[in-house]
Every structure is written in structure tokens, then in C-alpha cells.
């Protein structure tokens, strides 16, 4: 074969011979397509711009420049979110936010809060409380079981506590009442006891205290005061009014009864509830064990601050000091099954007749508390828990 002049002709490499060039050739159509799509999207966005901006609360004029903000009525989503937030926070106002105790409640408020807790022990032969078997903090190893068997993480919880040393099974129940006379969330608690083995008398304490641990200073208005016993509660019931800066005013109703078990005792026979309250700074939910045992325990004396000892050994004397910030309810039993109900009513009750004559005031008190009390004690509370 002949050659062309100047020697062999150099040939351009094919795609198979130059992979880099091949990739470059294939890339250009993709770049062109991506640019076209970006252009179309930009056009679509500009056309929809005013409508989208108005939905977010800002209006655009024909030249796509910012103009006057849209009126508030165009912001239903933000308003609804605000209401949702308020309702959500209100639903979490109360809960079992107290780790380290067998049963405790706390308000989700700062810098002051209201806390509640449970203690119990068996009675000694002389009727005083046995300090060696006092239950409060989750530190004892002699309990067979404790911990919630049911809890919805918000407004309901139930736990059985098996205590062989005190020969009793304690069942705690907590229900968020979701209302109150002012619409703020309240709560109801039942402490039920069932004897096991040979019966022993029991001392059951429920305390409520103002927790100002993180407050810069104590607020004088944060306190409890004992109101008169209300007829709606029956014999032995108690009504305590209180106020905490972060919660406002409230009422606490306490009532107890014997539960029939076929071994004597009237059906639902009322049991007396004793109370004691202190304004001493050293008396708080952090020292309540020592305070209670100093009053009704084996020592049988008064606390070191000079608070008088009770007249009846083993029983609180009903004194609530002015400005009290620690309140202790006490139920004494002979070993029979029992129920102790406590109801927290936000806004308080029994205050509408405060400036009227005594008789009218008492009737107003009963009228104001009766509806809430009826719904959250006795058989009605049992039905709610079943």
C-alpha cells in the first residue's frame, strides 16, 4: 500500500481510546438539562412569590419588594401553636416529679414550687410511731416491691408497695383532675392500705411543703393556714388553704375512712385526720422525717425549736403556725384497711363569703368545695380509678 506524502497520517483517538474525552462529551447534555430545570424553577418561584410570602405573614408588591406586614388575622398557625403550648404546659403542671421517694408530687414551677410526699410506719405498743420502720426515701431494702405498675407519663399513676416489716400493702394513686375552680390543673391522691399477716396499727403521713430552695428570698405570701372543718367532708375531714407565688391560692381537702373487710368496722366509717404545720426555716420537705419522728416517734418530745409536744402521744396536735410552709397530715389506724384521700383545688374554695356574716360564709365555703370534693373522694374516686 502506498503512503500519503509526509508519512503515516496520525489518527484522532476514539472514545474507547480516550475515556476522559468520552466523559466530557456525555457531561454536556446533563449540564444543559440541569440549567434548564433551574431556570424553570426560578420562573415558577417568582410567579408564586407574593402568595407564599403572604402566607408567611409578609406581602410583596408587583416588583417583588418587601411591603407592609400582613395583618395578624393572617397568622392562625402561630396563634394555634401558642394555645397548644399553653395547654400542653398546663397539662404538665403537676406530676410525680420527685425521684428518690416512694411517692411524691411536685409542681412544674420556678423558682418556688409546691411538693408533696408520703411516709408511713407501724405503731409501737404505746401508740407512738416506730422510727425504725419509717418509709419515705427509696433507701430501704426490706420492701418486696415498689414502683408504678401503671403510669401514663402525665396525669395518672398507680403503684402497689409491699412492706412485710410493717405488715401492710400500700397502694398510691394519683389523678390529675384537669380543672379546679379557676380552670387550672389540680390533682387528687388516694393512699390505700391493706394489712398482711397479723395486723399492726399504722401511722400514715402525707406532707405538703413550699420548696423555695432555688428562690433568692422567701415570699411572705407562700404559706398554709388551717380553715374550719367543712360539713361536706364528714367527721374528721380537714380543709387547709394555702398560697404559693408561682401557683396562686389553693385548697387542700383531706379525708379518711375505714374500708370494710368483714372483720368489724362500719361501711366507710370516717377516720380522723390530724394535721400540724410549721413556719420554722429548718422544717421542710428535706427534714420532714426528723420533724415527724420528733413529734410522734419514740422520743415523744417536741422538736428542738420549742414546738409543743402533742397532748396525745403518737398524734399530731392540730397546730398550724402562722405562715407555715410545711404541712403534715396524719392518719392513725388500728390495722384495718383504710383509704386516705387528698384533693388539691387550684384557686381555692370556701372563700366567696369571706366578707359576710359567719353563717353565710360557712355555707359559701361548703357550696364552693362540695362539687370538687364529691367528684374526688369516696365512691366517686373509686369509680374513677377502676
Amino acid at each position: 500500500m502506498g503512503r500519503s506524502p509526509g508519512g503515516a497520517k496520525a489518527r484522532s483517538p476514539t472514545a474507547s481510546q480516550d475515556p476522559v474525552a468520552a466523559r466530557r462529551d456525555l457531561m454536556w447534555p446533563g449540564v444543559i438539562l440541569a440549567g434548564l430545570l433551574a431556570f424553570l424553577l426560578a420562573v415558577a418561584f417568582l410567579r408564586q412569590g407574593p402568595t407564599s410570602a403572604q402566607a408567611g405573614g409578609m406581602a410583596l408588591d408587583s416588583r417583588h419588594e418587601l411591603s407592609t406586614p400582613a395583618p395578624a388575622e393572617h397568622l392562625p398557625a402561630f396563634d394555634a401553636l401558642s394555645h397548644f403550648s399553653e395547654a400542653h404546659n398546663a397539662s404538665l403542671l403537676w406530676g410525680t416529679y420527685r425521684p428518690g421517694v416512694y411517692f411524691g408530687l411536685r409542681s412544674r414551677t420556678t423558682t418556688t414550687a409546691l411538693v408533696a410526699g408520703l411516709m408511713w410506719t407501724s405503731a409501737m405498743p404505746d401508740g407512738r410511731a416506730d422510727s425504725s420502720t419509717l418509709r419515705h426515701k427509696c433507701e430501704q431494702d426490706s420492701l418486696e416491691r415498689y414502683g408504678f405498675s401503671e403510669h401514663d407519663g402525665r396525669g395518672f399513676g398507680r403503684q402497689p408497695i409491699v412492706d412485710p416489716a410493717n405488715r401492710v400493702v400500700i397502694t398510691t394513686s394519683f389523678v390529675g383532675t384537669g380543672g379546679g375552680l379557676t380552670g387550672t390543673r389540680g390533682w387528687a391522691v388516694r393512699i390505700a392500705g391493706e394489712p398482711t399477716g397479723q395486723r399492726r396499727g399504722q401511722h400514715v403521713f402525707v406532707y405538703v411543703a413550699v420548696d423555695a430552695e432555688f428562690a433568692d428570698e422567701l415570699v411572705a405570701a407562700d404559706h398554709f393556714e388551717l380553715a374550719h372543718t367543712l360539713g361536706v367532708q364528714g367527721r374528721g375531714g380537714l380543709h387547709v388553704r394555702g398560697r404559693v407565688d408561682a401557683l396562686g391560692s389553693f385548697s387542700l381537702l383531706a379525708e379518711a375512712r375505714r374500708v370494710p373487710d368483714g372483720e368489724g368496722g362500719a361501711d366507710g366509717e370516717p377516720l380522723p385526720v390530724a394535721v400540724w404545720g410549721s413556719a420554722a426555716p429548718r422544717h421542710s420537705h428535706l427534714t420532714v422525717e426528723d420533724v415527724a419522728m420528733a413529734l410522734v416517734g419514740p422520743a415523744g418530745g417536741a422538736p428542738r425549736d420549742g414546738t409543743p409536744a402533742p397532748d396525745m402521744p403518737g398524734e399530731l396536735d392540730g397546730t398550724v403556725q402562722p405562715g407555715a410552709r410545711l404541712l403534715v397530715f396524719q392518719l392513725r389506724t388500728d390495722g384495718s384497711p383504710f383509704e386516705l384521700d387528698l384533693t388539691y383545688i387550684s384557686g381555692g374554695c370556701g372563700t366567696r363569703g369571706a366578707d359576710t356574716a359567719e353563717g353565710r360564709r360557712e355555707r359559701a365555703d361548703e357550696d364552693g368545695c362540695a362539687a370538687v370534693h364529691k367528684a374526688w373522694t369516696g365512691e366517686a374516686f373509686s369509680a374513677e380509678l377502676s
Side-chain angles (χ1 to χ4, degrees):
M1 295 180 60
R3 293 184 180 181
S4 60
K9 184 177 180 181
R11 295 184 298 171
S12 299
T14 63
S16 60
Q17 292 173 325
D18 190 351
V20 174
R23 284 196 299 270
R24 187 184 303 117
D25 293 340
L26 293 174
M27 183 178 64
W28 281 109
V31 170
I32 294 172
L33 180 59
L36 181 60
L37 288 174
F39 174 78
L40 293 175
L41 287 173
V43 171
F45 176 80
L46 290 176
R47 287 185 176 179
Q48 296 296 325
T51 303
S52 300
Q54 288 170 2
M58 298 294 293
L60 298 177
D61 63 16
S62 59
R63 293 170 297 175
H64 311 299
E65 294 176 352
L66 289 175
S67 64
T68 307
E73 58 264 25
H74 292 287
L75 303 171
F78 294 99
D79 187 55
L81 182 60
S82 172
H83 285 297
F84 170 80
S85 254
E86 292 175 5
H88 176 72
N89 288 337
S91 73
L92 297 174
L93 176 61
W94 288 101
T96 52
Y97 307 133
R98 290 197 63 203
V101 296
Y102 289 117
F103 178 74
L105 301 176
R106 180 184 176 88
S107 63
R108 193 166 168 258
T109 54
T110 58
T111 56
T112 57
L114 197 65
V115 299
L118 167 69
M119 304 187 297
W120 75 94
T121 188
S122 52
M124 300 174 68
D126 65 355
R128 298 183 188 277
D130 188 346
S131 61
S132 68
T133 57
L134 180 67
R135 312 303 190 200
H136 178 214
K137 299 176 182 176
C138 303
E139 298 172 348
Q140 293 91 358
D141 297 327
S142 57
L143 298 188
E144 284 189 6
R145 70 153 293 165
Y146 66 91
F148 288 99
S149 57
E150 303 172 66
H151 206 302
D152 66 358
R154 187 178 298 266
F156 173 77
R158 178 185 296 170
Q159 70 165 329
I161 305 172
V162 182
D163 185 356
N166 285 314
R167 299 176 188 170
V168 68
V169 175
I170 299 285
T171 301
T172 68
S173 301
F174 157 69
V175 178
T177 58
L181 301 183
T182 61
T184 306
R185 190 174 180 83
W187 50 260
V189 164
R190 169 168 290 177
I191 310 299
E194 182 76 25
T196 60
Q198 185 178 357
R199 295 188 175 189
R200 299 180 66 178
Q202 301 292 325
H203 290 261
V204 181
F205 307 92
V206 176
Y207 62 88
V208 186
V210 177
D211 181 1
E213 183 179 1
F214 300 105
D216 294 333
E217 59 183 13
L218 291 176
V219 179
D222 293 347
H223 68 281
F224 305 103
E225 62 181 19
L226 182 62
H228 62 275
T229 301
L230 300 181
V232 295
Q233 294 175 274
R235 182 171 66 86
L238 291 174
H239 175 201
V240 176
R241 297 192 186 106
R243 176 178 176 79
V244 173
D245 189 53
L247 293 167
S249 300
F250 56 87
S251 284
L252 285 166
L253 307 181
E255 182 179 293
R257 69 197 63 82
R258 187 193 308 272
V259 176
D261 62 350
E263 297 189 19
D267 186 3
E269 176 187 355
L271 296 174
V273 179
V275 68
W276 179 86
S278 173
R282 72 178 66 181
H283 294 166
S284 72
H285 62 292
L286 302 176
T287 61
V288 66
E289 293 179 33
D290 296 334
V291 172
M293 289 301 99
L295 287 167
V296 300
R304 293 181 181 178
D305 66 352
T307 302
D311 295 332
M312 182 181 295
E315 183 173 305
L316 299 176
D317 66 0
T319 300
V320 178
Q321 295 178 345
R325 290 186 174 86
L326 171 65
L327 190 75
V328 183
F329 295 101
Q330 180 195 25
L331 170 65
R332 296 178 65 184
T333 79
D334 61 2
S336 301
F338 66 86
E339 292 175 347
L340 171 60
D341 293 340
L342 291 100
T343 309
Y344 171 94
I345 304 174
S346 61
C349 65
T351 58
R352 291 178 295 159
D355 297 325
T356 67
E358 182 69 20
R360 291 182 59 194
R361 185 177 70 217
E362 291 184 3
R363 288 194 296 273
D365 282 349
E366 294 193 13
D367 187 37
C369 290
V372 179
H373 175 266
K374 183 178 180 181
W376 295 105
T377 191
E379 294 181 359
F381 197 180
S382 299
E384 185 71 23
L385 295 173
S386 62

